[in-house]
Amino acid sequence: DVDTKHGPITNLKSFKNRLYFWQSDAVGIAAVNERSLITDNNMAALTLGTGGILSRFDYVTEQNGSSISNDKSITSSEAGLYWYDFDKNVICQLNNTVNTISKTLNVQSYLNSLHSGSKTNAVSFYDHKYNEVWFRIYDKALVYNEQLNVFTSFYTHNPNWFFPFSDKLITIKDNNMYYLHNI
């Protein structure tokens, strides 16, 4: 059970051994298998934990979320979680805090210029080789470089889906065109 004022849970994602959940205008962490280590009189470590239904949840933001079930715009890198908040028309980043990087890194005007009908079925994915997060929101991909902390470019290749591997990336366009990247 989470706070229903933010709507139903629309998405779940595991990141850095934590379970994150999305609601329409909030993102939180569900307490799953939390344990505490204590030391007894013999200096041995004891583990305390409980089982059963999720006992606790904490919100990381109540400003941004995702109202789209099974949102393809939610992706992760080694450093953070990223998603496109369709309702608020912003790109969000979660590492220690939630940042609306589309606003702070000056690409919000591009997102605002898109008419509402063109902002459907956003897809995001992380390219390990170049440390880039691709945000395909309309007819091209907006690319964010994690190392430089900037949006570097637009790519005209706008895939519908992707398959990430440790050494390459495969993107799919219109369910019949497959592209092999980083080879």
Side-chain angles (χ1 to χ4, degrees):
D1 291 334
V2 295
D3 193 341
T4 57
K5 74 178 182 182
H6 302 294
I9 293 176
T10 58
N11 296 280
L12 294 171
K13 182 126 179 126
S14 175
F15 178 68
K16 292 189 177 182
N17 292 325
R18 293 181 143 192
L19 181 63
Y20 288 84
F21 63 88
W22 277 258
Q23 293 173 269
S24 294
D25 58 356
V27 177
I29 302 171
V32 178
N33 291 333
E34 287 194 341
R35 292 179 174 89
S36 296
L37 291 177
I38 61 171
T39 305
D40 67 3
N41 291 338
N42 298 324
M43 301 305 289
L46 297 175
T47 304
L48 297 178
T50 59
I53 44 178
L54 300 177
S55 59
R56 200 180 98 242
F57 62 90
D58 297 304
Y59 283 105
V60 293
T61 183
E62 294 183 34
Q63 304 301 313
N64 296 97
S66 174
S67 62
I68 300 170
S69 294
N70 302 314
D71 191 348
K72 293 181 189 176
S73 80
I74 301 171
T75 192
S76 63
S77 69
E78 288 83 16
L81 282 168
Y82 298 89
W83 74 95
Y84 173 65
D85 184 336
F86 178 83
D87 296 327
K88 303 238 176 35
N89 192 33
V90 293
I91 296 173
C92 301
Q93 173 194 53
L94 185 146
N95 40 33
N96 294 328
T97 60
V98 174
N99 303 306
T100 52
I101 59 174
S102 58
K103 290 181 178 179
T104 58
L105 300 178
N106 302 317
V107 296
Q108 191 63 46
S109 59
Y110 165 72
L111 296 178
N112 291 341
S113 71
L114 298 174
H115 59 85
S116 61
S118 64
K119 295 180 286 192
T120 59
N121 300 321
V123 174
S124 300
F125 57 89
Y126 181 68
D127 184 343
H128 293 273
K129 183 173 182 177
Y130 296 109
N131 298 312
E132 293 178 334
V133 183
W134 291 40
F135 298 96
R136 201 264 310 154
I137 297 169
Y138 180 46
D139 63 347
K140 53 189 160 194
L142 179 59
V143 179
Y144 169 74
N145 186 294
E146 233 181 15
Q147 284 185 321
L148 301 175
N149 192 35
V150 295
F151 284 92
T152 56
S153 58
F154 287 100
Y155 292 161
T156 55
H157 176 63
N158 59 344
N160 302 100
W161 198 234
F162 67 97
F163 295 111
F165 295 94
S166 60
D167 60 340
K168 61 185 161 266
L169 179 69
I170 298 174
T171 57
I172 302 169
K173 178 68 179 153
D174 299 329
N175 294 329
N176 62 2
M177 303 276 294
Y178 298 85
Y179 297 90
L180 186 60
H181 300 261
N182 304 337
I183 297 296

